[in-house]
Amino acid sequence: MADTVYGDVSYSFPEEMKRGSVIGNIAKDLGLDVNRLSVRKARTDTEGNRKKYCDINVNTGELTVAERIDREVLCGKKTVCVIKQELVLENPLESHRININVQDVNDNSPIFKKDVIKLEISEIAVKGSRFLLEEAHDADMGTNSVQSYSISQNEHFTLSVSSKAEGRVYCELLLDKDLDREKEQEVSLILTAVDGGTPPRSGTVAIHVTVLDANDNAPVFGQSVYKVSLSENSPLDTVVATVSATDADYGVNGEVSYEFSHVSEKDLATFFLDPNSGQIILVGSLDYEEETAFELQVQATDGLGLVSFATVVIEISDVNDNAPVITIKRLHSPVPENVPLSTEVGIINVQDRDADNNGQVHCSLQQNVPFKLVPSIKNYYSLVTTGELDRELVSDYNITITATDEGSPPLSSSKTIHLAVADVNDNPPVFEEQVYSAHVKENNKPGSSVCTVAATDPDWRQNGTVVYSLLPSDVSGAPVSSFVSINGDTGVVHAVRSFDYEQFKSFKVLVLARDNGSPPLSSNVTVSVFISDENDNSPQILYPSPEGNSFMTEMVPKAAQSGSLVSKVIAVDADSGQNAWLAYHIVKATDPGLFTIGEHSGEIRTQRDISESDSTKQNLIVSVKDNGQPSLSATCAVYLLISDNLAEIPELKDMSYDESSSKLTFYLIIALVSVSTFFLTFIIIILAVRFCHRRKPRLLFDGAVAIPSAYLPPNYAEVEGAGTLRSTYNYDAYLTTGSRTSDFKFVTSYNEGGTLPADLTLKKRKSFENLMDCAGDEVESGAQV
């Protein structure tokens, strides 16, 4: 900001004009743009607490009268009466001094101090004697003051009118004809004072002349001018000066008395003149800032009325009795927090009415505020920023301005201004956590709460109001809004539908937090939703087939020893964790003490050696139970046949289900015939084969016995060996029929002294095995091991 001080502009203007009278067009005289006066906040200003006598019309640029201007009150008897004002403009800050020369108008009539002027003139006074008369006082100046005197017609006196060097007109009574006390003891005259105004004004006073005996010596002052210096803080009753006049006459004619002559009422209220001693005593307070000097006219009169005059000049010396006055001319509050450095936020004016060094002022601010005072034009300071403002750290400032003068001792004053900082949307919402995790049980109710996200914004009001929403995204090909929703005000995330752990175990949601600023700011956070498994799936038995319209029978050698593996129940559970931990139990058996099942493996083993007394047909009911709360279970039937060869196969007819025994018998006969025919055909072919490779015996399963991989549920893989059984178990297979209705299977386990390795078999029924080895490639296409 450029601060400019321009020169003075002066106007001459008569006093006592009405308020609103135009003094002059200051905008035109200074070359200012009238249209910008209002924008630049044009105004007049004064020093200190003095009245503002003029104002500016920002619409026309005219300088007008704001207060009554009385030249006599403002300047008294000063020859030149000038009112000093300042025109202040802003943006940029600019000042012009205005000097208004107040012209005197003839608004005061001459006034005599006394109603009657009493003179005592000796009868021996010679012709031509002069008697100084009291001057008329006219408050006006120049030609409007007293210009002439006249006296009423008489036979003894004429009037002599003269002017002093300072231009003041005075008159003397001139004796034109000798007095004769015996003829006339008193003479009455009328003295008229006329000023030079248009029209002229006049004042009169009566002159009463008493003819006395001879008194030919007037009082004489020791000096014509007395000069005194007086401090403005002098106490009351201080003797300012003593005037002295002597009279050579004797007796009453030599007695001198003193009095003020032509002194204003204000001066009479300030000083007292002792009529006998001539001491001038201070009786009123002094203020250098109001009046710097006094000029008093003292009159000495002897006992018979002869007078003489002297002037007492009292110069007032300044003391540092005025503390600086701080005035806030302009303050921009609140100030936006994003204002640039060196931005002007206020205009400060400091005045000290004292003079010289006592009136020199220095301003300062307290520490630790991002502001400073920059001196501008006379007595003005600009309050500017020195650092960045942040409403979130400091929302307002109490700035204390201290002004100190250079007096001794120095005086100071302070003023505290409150400056508020306006908020700007400069902070995005911040989430309380970088990542949110939510754990929800599956099968939850739609509308239930998943979690709550919370973001804070340190900005103010709408800039700090946070609204939550979901960012568009997909979960397993479906929009995220079909899974969860969020309350825009509270940040509570709700489930839109029930979740299924078996479909998806987790998903992620992007939550957006946006404030209501302009422009709005936002931030986002990831909410990871983890679905907790519940025990809502029963175990699924893969082997043996749990279907009621078929059953499987496994053959157990009669020589099986205790601990031999005879079969295995395979089950899975779609749940996870402990909900998928399965336990196997035999709930019903033909012979409860013959077989046992591994609680966690599902392997069915013999508890003791097989004896001849054991029933050939053994039925087991196996329960598979998971570890959930509450637990779920499934059951299956395992049919075992204790036999060593195919000759005992006809006994199988009794193991069929009661409700389908006749049907199974029919199918069994057909199957036996078909298999026999099939084997005879293969034997003929095998005999024709020269070379055959020895292969391991295979367990030939019917389609329902072997568990194809497509039958397994997800996450379960087929292992090598026999179906899902371990590869360390090896079996000989004996096919009865190819019927898928009967699903019969006869298995002999070779587990003597432990499980045989996968590459070893027992040397049993060698001739039959050789046939099987030779036909292995052809048989493999129709049977599974």
Side-chain angles (χ1 to χ4, degrees), residues 630-660:
S631 62
L632 301 176
S633 63
T635 59
C636 67
V638 177
Y639 303 101
L640 302 176
L641 180 64
I642 300 176
S643 176
D644 288 334
N645 52 60
L646 295 174
E648 302 172 0
I649 291 176
E651 297 178 2
L652 295 174
K653 59 185 179 180
D654 298 331
M655 295 184 63
S656 61
Y657 292 105
D658 294 337
E659 63 273 12
S660 60

Side-chain angles (χ1 to χ4, degrees), residues 77-254:
K77 285 295 184 179
K78 293 181 181 179
T79 304
V80 178
C81 183
V82 177
I83 297 176
K84 295 183 178 180
Q85 306 272 278
E86 287 185 354
L87 175 63
V88 179
L89 301 98
E90 297 181 13
N91 299 320
L93 190 61
E94 182 178 332
S95 174
H96 298 273
R97 289 187 291 270
I98 306 171
N99 296 327
I100 301 175
N101 186 9
V102 181
Q103 297 177 340
D104 186 43
V105 297
N106 192 26
D107 58 341
N108 293 281
S109 299
I111 299 174
F112 290 90
K113 183 179 178 182
K114 299 178 181 179
D115 294 332
V116 177
I117 300 176
K118 294 181 179 182
L119 297 176
E120 293 180 347
I121 302 175
S122 175
E123 63 178 348
I124 63 171
V126 296
K127 184 179 178 180
S129 298
R130 295 174 178 270
F131 304 94
L132 184 64
L133 299 177
E134 177 186 352
E135 297 177 19
H137 175 70
D138 193 332
D140 297 322
M141 293 296 296
T143 58
N144 292 327
S145 63
V146 177
Q147 298 296 314
S148 62
Y149 292 89
S150 62
I151 195 172
S152 59
Q153 291 185 354
N154 62 91
E155 60 177 325
H156 295 285
F157 299 94
T158 60
L159 195 62
S160 175
V161 180
S162 303
S163 298
K164 293 185 178 181
E166 62 268 27
R168 195 169 66 204
V169 178
Y170 68 96
C171 62
E172 295 175 309
L173 195 61
L174 183 63
L175 184 58
D176 189 48
K177 182 180 178 180
D178 294 337
L179 297 174
D180 187 356
R181 185 177 182 278
E182 285 72 26
K183 290 183 179 180
E184 191 175 13
Q185 296 182 356
E186 295 180 349
V187 177
S188 296
L189 305 172
I190 298 298
L191 178 63
T192 302
V194 181
D195 62 22
T198 303
R201 292 175 176 267
S202 62
T204 60
V205 65
I207 300 176
H208 185 75
V209 179
T210 300
V211 181
L212 301 176
D213 287 337
N215 178 27
D216 53 355
N217 291 290
V220 178
F221 282 97
Q223 57 191 77
S224 61
V225 177
Y226 293 82
K227 289 186 177 181
V228 179
S229 179
L230 184 64
S231 176
E232 65 173 324
N233 63 347
S234 298
L236 299 181
D237 296 331
T238 297
V239 177
V240 178
T242 300
V243 296
S244 177
T246 60
D247 193 314
D249 292 328
Y250 181 77
V252 176
N253 294 333

Side-chain angles (χ1 to χ4, degrees), residues 159-466:
L159 195 62
S160 175
V161 180
S162 303
S163 298
K164 293 185 178 181
E166 62 268 27
R168 195 169 66 204
V169 178
Y170 68 96
C171 62
E172 295 175 309
L173 195 61
L174 183 63
L175 184 58
D176 189 48
K177 182 180 178 180
D178 294 337
L179 297 174
D180 187 356
R181 185 177 182 278
E182 285 72 26
K183 290 183 179 180
E184 191 175 13
Q185 296 182 356
E186 295 180 349
V187 177
S188 296
L189 305 172
I190 298 298
L191 178 63
T192 302
V194 181
D195 62 22
T198 303
R201 292 175 176 267
S202 62
T204 60
V205 65
I207 300 176
H208 185 75
V209 179
T210 300
V211 181
L212 301 176
D213 287 337
N215 178 27
D216 53 355
N217 291 290
V220 178
F221 282 97
Q223 57 191 77
S224 61
V225 177
Y226 293 82
K227 289 186 177 181
V228 179
S229 179
L230 184 64
S231 176
E232 65 173 324
N233 63 347
S234 298
L236 299 181
D237 296 331
T238 297
V239 177
V240 178
T242 300
V243 296
S244 177
T246 60
D247 193 314
D249 292 328
Y250 181 77
V252 176
N253 294 333
E255 294 179 358
V256 179
S257 61
Y258 305 94
E259 61 179 326
F260 286 126
S261 176
H262 301 99
V263 176
S264 67
E265 294 295 330
K266 180 179 179 181
D267 294 345
L268 289 176
T270 306
F271 301 99
F272 169 74
L273 177 60
D274 190 313
N276 297 318
S277 64
Q279 289 183 337
I280 300 176
I281 301 173
L282 180 66
V283 294
S285 60
L286 299 176
D287 191 347
Y288 175 85
E289 290 70 38
E290 293 292 335
E291 198 73 45
T292 60
F294 293 88
E295 184 174 323
L296 306 177
Q297 192 79 16
V298 178
Q299 173 182 311
T301 305
D302 63 17
L304 295 180
L306 295 181
V307 298
S308 61
F309 298 92
T311 301
V312 179
V313 178
I314 303 173
E315 295 182 351
I316 308 301
S317 60
D318 183 47
V319 295
N320 192 27
D321 60 344
N322 290 282
V325 177
I326 302 172
T327 305
I328 308 300
K329 293 296 185 181
R330 180 74 59 185
L331 182 64
H332 302 285
S333 181
V335 57
E337 61 178 326
N338 62 344
V339 295
L341 297 181
S342 301
T343 298
E344 182 182 83
V345 298
I347 299 175
I348 313 299
N349 178 259
V350 181
Q351 298 284 347
D352 193 317
R353 298 179 62 199
D354 293 321
D356 300 328
N357 290 340
N358 294 333
Q360 297 297 319
V361 180
H362 300 282
C363 287
S364 62
L365 299 180
Q366 83 271 26
Q367 299 297 321
N368 302 322
V369 292
F371 302 95
K372 68 176 180 179
L373 288 175
V374 178
S376 183
I377 59 177
K378 178 183 177 182
N379 301 326
Y380 280 89
Y381 294 83
S382 295
L383 181 64
V384 299
T385 58
T386 59
E388 295 183 354
L389 305 180
D390 191 341
R391 191 206 67 84
E392 289 69 44
L393 296 178
V394 182
S395 60
D396 56 0
Y397 293 89
N398 289 319
I399 305 172
T400 300
I401 303 171
T402 302
T404 306
D405 61 27
E406 295 183 358
S408 181
L411 298 179
S412 64
S413 60
S414 298
K415 190 163 192 174
T416 300
I417 59 177
H418 181 79
L419 185 65
V421 180
D423 184 47
V424 174
N425 191 29
D426 57 350
N427 291 281
V430 177
F431 285 93
E432 294 179 356
E433 300 180 22
Q434 294 183 351
V435 177
Y436 286 85
S437 297
H439 296 270
V440 184
K441 291 184 178 180
E442 66 173 332
N443 303 319
N444 59 297
K445 292 183 179 180
S448 60
S449 174
V450 175
C451 69
T452 300
V453 298
T456 57
D457 192 320
D459 289 322
W460 180 247
R461 293 188 177 174
Q462 67 177 15
N463 292 335
T465 302
V466 179

